[in-house]
Amino acid sequence: MTAATPMGLPELLAASRAFACRDAIVATLARLLPAVEVKSLPGRISIDDLDNKDMFRPPSIGVAAVRIRPADGRMSGLRDVPVEIVAYVVTEDGPYGEGGRLVYRDELGLALCDGLLALTELPEVARWGLTDIGMPEGAEARSLISVSTEERATAYHSVTWWQMLYGQGVPFMDMDSPVPAGATARAILPGDPDWTPPPVPTP
């Protein structure tokens, strides 16, 4: 096990990729859904936030990275980090259908949720232009309000999923020494020339 070494804020920022993942999702959705306002959010929000027309202009999708689980460490010092993403979908009644047909907010909300789920299933889309990232897992959509809140005249849904960021962090050449400046970072795996098997425990 390596000893922890002090890290400044620039090093911490360079070692984490959750923020970049969120912004890559926003950029991809904005490109693929040009009729919808897509924006990044700093975290989970309340129903009152969703109802704030200064924050959202329906139809709108707000994307946040809301949870990071403990990572699976590697012998190289790199970490595989699971991140939970939530996309808030805000809709209202409007002439969105073919020929300007009136579409009610819940119909549009469900259609956008279905479309987002479909995008998370496409390998050419759901890595959001990033490398070292897994496919979304456990994706689901749900309504955020009950029928009793109908007077808001706006519908709210969310689409959530987990996504793995592979090889995150600061790598090591061995268990004690950091990679020298200019060296290429990579994981050391069984079968590599630099691989050293762990010692066999003494009975």
Side-chain angles (χ1 to χ4, degrees), residues 132-156:
D132 297 324
I133 184 172
M135 286 291 293
E137 298 180 4
E140 66 174 10
R142 63 178 65 187
S143 174
L144 294 180
I145 62 173
S146 64
V147 175
S148 63
T149 57
E150 181 68 15
E151 70 275 5
R152 291 180 182 269
T154 311
Y156 313 95

Side-chain angles (χ1 to χ4, degrees), residues 80-147:
D80 297 336
V81 180
V83 178
E84 184 183 17
I85 302 295
V86 59
Y88 294 98
V89 178
V90 184
T91 54
E92 62 184 7
D93 301 346
Y96 307 120
E98 186 175 354
R101 175 180 70 85
L102 175 65
V103 175
Y104 292 107
R105 49 194 174 273
D106 52 338
E107 179 184 359
L108 180 60
L110 291 171
L112 283 174
C113 288
D114 197 20
L116 286 174
L117 289 174
L119 291 176
T120 66
E121 299 170 0
L122 300 175
E124 66 273 21
V125 172
R127 290 188 173 91
W128 322 112
L130 302 174
T131 58
D132 297 324
I133 184 172
M135 286 291 293
E137 298 180 4
E140 66 174 10
R142 63 178 65 187
S143 174
L144 294 180
I145 62 173
S146 64
V147 175

